[in-house]
Amino acid sequence: MAVTDIDIRPLHSNLVGLTFLQADATDLTGIPDNSVESLSSLHAVEHFGQGRFGAPVAPAACFCAMRALARVLKPGGKLYFSVPIGIERVAFNAHRVFAPSTIRETFAELELVSFAAVDDNDCFHADATSQPFDSAQFACGLYEFTKKQPINVRL
């Protein structure tokens, strides 16, 4: 299976099956709309806009990245997404913690397939609801989304 890694930083690797694209994940410029069948963003977006890794401070960068992921996802495609969840806050120059509802609202155009989480006590919840995690200090939310197929209307 071929994998494309996207990062704003250069990658020097000769791994077979790995393609690298140096790009800004906050906009995914150059990747066409509705073109990617499977996307994974695992504990990355919470660092966007925090001024780390030479990137500028940009408070909305994480939300721009989430919209870009939704934009390039192919209808019927899958997005695997994980971020810290709990009481929403920013730990400047480190990360952001998202309320579970913020993730669902930001990806409102996508359908939530499954939601799992690791709570503050390191317990895994395979079929989680957001309520116990709204007040978490630093839980891990694991989301699986799909982009809805367009409805074909015949006249």
Side-chain angles (χ1 to χ4, degrees):
M1 174 189 299
V3 173
T4 300
D5 178 44
I6 300 171
D7 201 313
I8 199 161
R9 302 166 293 180
L11 175 70
H12 306 288
S13 173
N14 294 332
L15 289 173
V16 175
L18 177 67
T19 303
F20 175 69
L21 174 62
Q22 189 169 358
D24 185 342
T26 63
D27 60 22
L28 296 174
T29 299
I31 300 176
D33 294 0
N34 303 310
S35 66
V36 181
E37 187 174 334
S38 179
L39 285 167
S40 298
S41 176
L42 306 174
H43 280 285
V45 170
E46 67 268 23
H47 302 291
F48 292 5
Q50 296 295 313
R52 298 180 75 178
F53 310 116
V57 173
C62 59
F63 300 106
C64 293
M66 287 187 256
R67 285 190 296 275
L69 291 168
R71 176 185 64 77
V72 302
L73 189 63
K74 181 184 282 189
K78 298 284 185 170
L79 169 62
Y80 303 96
F81 187 79
S82 66
V83 289
I85 58 170
I87 300 168
E88 194 157 278
R89 64 194 181 279
V90 174
F92 180 69
N93 199 258
H95 59 267
R96 182 185 291 260
V97 177
F98 298 90
S101 59
T102 298
I103 300 302
R104 289 190 315 275
E105 290 165 10
T106 304
F107 287 118
E109 68 187 82
L110 303 181
E111 182 179 336
L112 181 63
V113 175
S114 65
F115 171 60
V118 178
D119 66 23
D120 288 336
N121 297 313
D122 295 328
C123 294
F124 178 70
H125 302 267
D127 187 17
T129 63
S130 65
Q131 284 305 330
F133 299 99
D134 290 337
S135 60
Q137 290 301 308
F138 201 75
C140 172
L142 306 152
Y143 297 82
E144 177 187 4
F145 292 101
T146 189
K147 186 177 255 186
K148 299 169 190 156
Q149 295 279 1
I151 298 172
N152 292 329
V153 178
R154 296 186 111 145
L155 299 176

